[in-house]
Amino acid sequence: MKSRTQRSIIVVVLTLVVGTLLLLFFLQRPGLVLVLRDQQTGKVLASIPVEEGEQLTYRWIHSAEFIPWIEEFTIQKDGSFRLNTIKVAGFGAGIPENKGVTSVKDGMVVMEQLDQVFGKIRWIHSQTALTSITVGDTIFITGEDVPHHIPVELTIEGVGTIWPRYPLTK
């Protein structure tokens, strides 16, 4: 009788373990996640699921020239950012003058075919300089969404893991 009870307990435990593992497997959302993190604390400030090939657009105002600056990246399968295009409303301090193929379109200097790859993007955040970071047509963050003058880091993470969407913190 004791042996039968022990076998029943073992079967129940194994069933629970296998069931839990199957549940975790089916709850996984394999894919990439764009993550904005405080560099000093490691705290996740915002995250959003993304896909390989999606366009990430970083819009900001140049701090010395006060002109719009737009950078367009493609999200890569390996978790990197491929810089394809820079659009700037003029030239001045810190603006590259010999990148890729340069033309003027709609009043903006456009540098295309840049093909530069970045594993992460780091900056000291400015609520007044950053206009927005978007993925496709979705606004990921605006300048006001993140505390002023903190060092932040933008990465792509989470391949094949369960990754919750973090709300923005203000």
Side-chain angles (χ1 to χ4, degrees):
M1 185 61 110
K2 193 173 190 180
S3 170
R4 183 180 245 188
T5 303
Q6 287 176 336
R7 277 188 262 162
S8 295
I9 290 172
I10 290 172
V11 167
V12 168
V13 169
L14 284 175
T15 302
L16 287 173
V17 168
V18 170
T20 301
L21 290 174
L22 285 172
L23 181 63
L24 286 175
F25 176 78
F26 287 112
L27 286 179
Q28 279 189 336
R29 295 183 310 184
L32 304 171
V33 179
L34 181 66
V35 179
L36 181 69
R37 183 177 270 117
D38 182 315
Q39 286 184 48
Q40 293 174 326
T41 66
K43 178 182 177 187
V44 173
L45 303 171
S47 69
I48 186 173
V50 294
E51 295 181 14
E52 173 189 3
E54 281 191 290
Q55 181 172 300
L56 180 132
T57 304
Y58 191 105
R59 291 178 176 85
W60 54 285
I61 303 299
H62 192 280
S63 61
E65 300 295 323
F66 302 108
I67 55 176
W69 183 306
I70 301 166
E71 296 176 347
E72 296 172 349
F73 298 85
T74 301
I75 294 170
Q76 303 296 294
K77 182 178 186 175
D78 67 358
S80 63
F81 303 91
R82 180 175 302 281
L83 176 61
N84 303 309
T85 306
I86 297 174
K87 298 175 184 176
V88 185
F91 275 104
I95 298 174
E97 72 352 286
N98 60 351
K99 291 272 190 185
V101 176
T102 304
S103 62
V104 176
K105 297 177 184 171
D106 299 322
M108 300 282 280
V109 176
V110 179
M111 294 164 260
E112 298 177 286
Q113 300 176 17
L114 299 175
D115 200 31
Q116 287 183 279
V117 177
F118 300 88
K120 56 183 79 173
I121 302 172
R122 292 179 157 185
W123 71 97
I124 305 297
H125 184 72
S126 169
Q127 290 183 331
T128 56
L130 180 71
T131 304
S132 67
I133 297 176
T134 59
V135 177
D137 295 331
T138 302
I139 295 175
F140 175 57
I141 62 166
T142 66
E144 295 174 352
D145 293 331
V146 178
H148 197 54
H149 288 166
I150 66 166
V152 293
E153 175 178 273
L154 193 62
T155 58
I156 300 171
E157 304 174 8
V159 177
T161 61
I162 297 172
W163 191 271
R165 181 183 176 125
Y166 285 90
L168 295 171
T169 57
K170 293 187 180 190

